[in-house]
Amino acid sequence: MKTLVVGISGVTNGGKTTLAKKLQKQLPSCSVISQDDYFKPESEIKIDENGFLQYDELEALNMEILMSAVYSWMKNPRNSLESDDLESAEEVPILIIEGFLLYTYNTRVYEPPDPPGYFDGHVWPMYLKHRKEIEDITRNIVYLDGTKSEEDLFTRVCDDLTEERAKQKCLQITPKVPSSSTSGIL
C-alpha cells in the first residue's frame, strides 16, 4: 500500500501543531503524530546554567517511542485513521509528523510567556543548530516562509500534499509492464 509521510518542523511555538491539525481536518485519510506527546518526564530533562529546562534538545524526547508509533502507522495506516467514509478508504493515507526541530525564526507571543532571555538564549540557538544538521541532509525538504500568513502556509502545504497524493495514487494503480526479457504478447 502506498503511503505519504510528511514532516512539519520549525521553531518552538511556531504554528506546527496548528498547521498539522488544520491539514488533518482538510485531507481525507490523514493522521498526525505530534512530537510534543513524546517528551520525557520533567525529572529527566536537563537544566542549563540559567536554570531553564532544556526541552528544545533531542535528548528531552522519547524518540524510540515516537518512532515506534510512526512504524506502527506505516505497517497499518488504515487502523490509525479516524474516518470510515468511502472517500477516505480510496485515498493514499497521509501521516504528518510535527515537531520542534527547525526552520523559521518567529517571535510569537504566547501564554505563559517565557522567562526573559529564554527564546534568544536557548530556543533560537537550538533551532539554528538543528537547522544546520537538516541542511546537510539531501532529501526533498520544502522550507516555508514563516513571515507568510497562516492561511497562505496552509494553502501551500495542502496543495502540495494533494498533488503528491495524486502522484502516489497514479503510481499505485499503474499496471506493471513485463520487462523486455519476459516472453509473451503485450
Side-chain angles (χ1 to χ4, degrees), residues 23-30 81 85 87-88 91-94 165:
L23 288 166
Q24 184 178 30
K25 286 180 182 177
Q26 179 71 28
L27 298 167
S29 299
C30 183
L81 299 173
D85 70 47
E87 181 184 356
S88 292
E91 292 292 344
V92 172
I94 296 175
R165 175 184 264 164

Coordinates of all heavy atoms in Angstrom, one line a residue, residues 23-30 81 85 87-88 91-94 165:
L23 N -4.6 20.6 8.5 CA -4.4 19.7 7.3 C -5.2 18.4 7.6 O -5.8 17.9 6.7 CB -2.9 19.5 7.1 CG -2.1 20.6 6.5 CD1 -0.6 20.3 6.6 CD2 -2.5 20.9 5.1
Q24 N -5.1 17.9 8.8 CA -5.8 16.7 9.1 C -7.3 16.8 8.9 O -8.0 15.9 8.4 CB -5.5 16.3 10.6 CG -6.1 14.9 10.9 CD -5.8 14.5 12.4 OE1 -5.6 15.4 13.2 NE2 -5.7 13.2 12.6
K25 N -7.9 18.0 9.3 CA -9.3 18.2 9.1 C -9.6 18.3 7.6 O -10.7 17.9 7.2 CB -9.7 19.5 9.8 CG -9.8 19.3 11.3 CD -10.2 20.6 11.9 CE -10.3 20.5 13.4 NZ -10.6 21.8 14.1
Q26 N -8.7 18.9 6.8 CA -9.0 19.1 5.4 C -8.8 17.9 4.5 O -9.5 17.7 3.5 CB -8.1 20.3 4.9 CG -8.2 20.6 3.4 CD -9.5 21.3 3.1 OE1 -10.1 22.0 4.0 NE2 -10.0 21.1 1.9
L27 N -7.8 17.1 4.8 CA -7.4 16.0 4.0 C -7.9 14.6 4.4 O -7.7 14.2 5.6 CB -5.8 15.9 3.9 CG -5.1 17.1 3.3 CD1 -3.6 17.0 3.6 CD2 -5.4 17.3 1.8
P28 N -8.7 13.9 3.6 CA -9.1 12.6 4.0 C -7.9 11.6 4.2 O -6.9 11.8 3.6 CB -10.0 12.1 2.8 CG -10.0 13.2 1.8 CD -9.0 14.3 2.2
S29 N -8.1 10.6 5.1 CA -7.1 9.6 5.3 C -5.8 10.2 5.8 O -4.7 9.8 5.4 CB -6.8 8.8 4.1 OG -8.0 8.1 3.7
C30 N -5.9 11.2 6.8 CA -4.7 11.9 7.3 C -4.6 11.7 8.8 O -5.6 11.9 9.5 CB -4.8 13.4 6.9 SG -3.4 14.3 7.4
L81 N -6.6 5.6 11.1 CA -7.5 6.6 10.6 C -8.8 6.7 11.4 O -9.4 5.7 11.8 CB -7.8 6.4 9.1 CG -6.5 6.5 8.3 CD1 -6.8 6.1 6.8 CD2 -5.9 7.8 8.3
D85 N -15.4 6.9 6.1 CA -16.1 7.2 4.9 C -15.4 6.6 3.7 O -14.2 6.4 3.7 CB -16.4 8.7 4.7 CG -15.2 9.6 4.5 OD1 -14.4 9.2 3.6 OD2 -15.1 10.6 5.1
E87 N -14.7 7.9 0.8 CA -13.6 8.7 0.1 C -12.3 8.5 0.8 O -11.3 8.3 0.2 CB -14.0 10.2 0.2 CG -13.0 11.1 -0.4 CD -13.4 12.6 -0.3 OE1 -14.4 12.9 0.3 OE2 -12.5 13.4 -0.7
S88 N -12.3 8.4 2.1 CA -11.0 8.2 2.9 C -10.4 6.8 2.5 O -9.2 6.7 2.4 CB -11.3 8.2 4.4 OG -11.6 9.6 4.7
E91 N -8.3 6.9 -0.7 CA -7.2 7.8 -0.7 C -5.9 7.2 -0.2 O -5.9 6.3 0.6 CB -7.4 9.1 0.1 CG -8.5 10.0 -0.4 CD -8.2 10.7 -1.7 OE1 -7.0 10.7 -2.1 OE2 -9.1 11.2 -2.3
V92 N -4.7 7.7 -0.7 CA -3.4 7.3 -0.2 C -3.3 7.9 1.2 O -3.5 9.1 1.4 CB -2.3 7.8 -1.1 CG1 -0.9 7.6 -0.5 CG2 -2.4 7.2 -2.5
P93 N -3.1 7.1 2.2 CA -3.1 7.6 3.6 C -1.9 8.5 3.8 O -0.8 8.3 3.2 CB -2.9 6.3 4.5 CG -3.3 5.2 3.6 CD -3.0 5.6 2.2
I94 N -2.1 9.6 4.5 CA -1.0 10.6 4.8 C -0.8 10.5 6.3 O -1.7 10.6 7.1 CB -1.4 12.0 4.4 CG1 -1.6 12.1 2.9 CG2 -0.4 13.0 4.9 CD1 -2.1 13.4 2.5
R165 N -0.2 13.3 -3.2 CA -1.1 12.2 -3.0 C -1.6 11.7 -4.4 O -1.7 10.5 -4.7 CB -2.3 12.6 -2.2 CG -3.3 11.5 -2.1 CD -4.5 11.9 -1.3 NE -4.3 11.4 0.1 CZ -5.0 11.9 1.1 NH1 -5.9 12.8 1.0 NH2 -4.8 11.4 2.3

